[in-house]
Amino acid sequence: MFEITFDSFIRIVTVGFLAYVGLVIFLRISGKRTLTKLNAFDLVVTVALGSTLATVLLDNNITLLEGLTAFALLIFLQYFITLLSVHSDWFNDIIKSEPRLLFLDGQFVRSAMKKERIKESEILQAIRNTGFGSTDKVKAVVLETDGSLSIISSETGNSMKNVNSGDESVI
């Protein structure tokens, strides 16, 4: 259980290095969109790539070529799905959700909160996480397609903070 042979150590290091390099090359070829977090589908692909890398590293029955093939397949499918979603509104609607307004001008949008299974306390926590002590200076809270909450300030300049990334941008 706590033992490692020299051969398995060499395999993990060699295959790990080559699989990592191969994954980085595939990701660079496929472009930035491959690892974005724009929706749930993107998250699934990212997790699947990580899981595949772990399997290639630790399962002696999986060859490096099989792992690289799995990477290529996942990245190709993600590329194909996103390409299809860009060119087909119908397909885009199937795989992506729309942002949902949860709070506006001091009022919680209860129907939207119920549909999205978001509690008032979770929205208040997101507001506090952005540095606001109360809802007084918050114009709106939006549940984005990637599951993050965007807080839109009612102050001049209308700055917006995304709770999950901490990024601030101006709308």
Side-chain angles (χ1 to χ4, degrees), residues 38-52:
L38 298 177
N39 57 56
F41 177 74
D42 295 326
L43 175 65
V44 169
V45 171
T46 302
V47 170
L49 287 170
S51 177
T52 302

Side-chain angles (χ1 to χ4, degrees), residues 139-165:
K139 174 77 173 165
V141 177
V142 178
L143 178 63
E144 301 293 353
T145 59
D146 67 352
S148 65
L149 293 171
S150 292
I151 313 299
I152 302 168
S153 170
S154 60
E155 296 176 351
T156 56
N158 285 336
S159 67
M160 180 176 77
K161 292 186 179 182
N162 185 294
V163 174
N164 285 350
S165 66

Side-chain angles (χ1 to χ4, degrees), residues 1-167:
M1 182 169 149
F2 294 107
E3 296 177 18
I4 185 169
T5 66
F6 183 72
D7 289 341
S8 64
F9 174 78
I10 294 298
R11 182 199 177 280
I12 290 171
V13 170
T14 304
V15 170
F17 176 79
L18 294 173
Y20 180 79
V21 168
L23 180 58
V24 168
I25 290 169
F26 286 149
L27 291 174
R28 292 289 293 152
I29 291 169
S30 66
K32 296 175 189 169
R33 176 65 174 86
T34 303
L35 289 181
T36 60
K37 297 178 288 182
L38 298 177
N39 57 56
F41 177 74
D42 295 326
L43 175 65
V44 169
V45 171
T46 302
V47 170
L49 287 170
S51 177
T52 302
L53 180 59
T55 301
V56 170
L57 284 172
L58 300 175
D59 189 342
N60 293 336
N61 297 322
I62 305 294
T63 66
L64 176 62
L65 185 57
E66 290 170 327
L68 293 175
T69 303
F71 290 151
L73 177 64
L74 287 169
I75 291 170
F76 169 77
L77 289 173
Q78 200 275 347
Y79 183 86
F80 179 74
I81 295 294
T82 55
L83 187 66
L84 195 56
S85 73
V86 167
H87 294 291
S88 168
D89 292 335
W90 171 83
F91 189 74
N92 187 54
D93 292 343
I94 290 174
I95 65 164
K96 293 182 182 174
S97 62
E98 291 294 319
R100 180 142 347 225
L101 185 65
L102 301 176
F103 179 87
L104 181 64
D105 294 327
Q107 300 294 316
F108 290 95
V109 183
R110 304 274 178 207
S111 59
M113 291 168 57
K114 186 175 182 179
K115 283 182 183 176
E116 299 295 344
R117 299 178 318 277
I118 301 283
K119 295 174 63 174
E120 184 177 318
S121 62
E122 294 169 319
I123 295 172
L124 293 172
Q125 177 184 358
I127 291 170
R128 287 190 306 274
N129 285 343
T130 60
F132 295 109
S134 69
T135 59
D136 296 342
K137 295 182 181 178
V138 174
K139 174 77 173 165
V141 177
V142 178
L143 178 63
E144 301 293 353
T145 59
D146 67 352
S148 65
L149 293 171
S150 292
I151 313 299
I152 302 168
S153 170
S154 60
E155 296 176 351
T156 56
N158 285 336
S159 67
M160 180 176 77
K161 292 186 179 182
N162 185 294
V163 174
N164 285 350
S165 66
D167 294 339

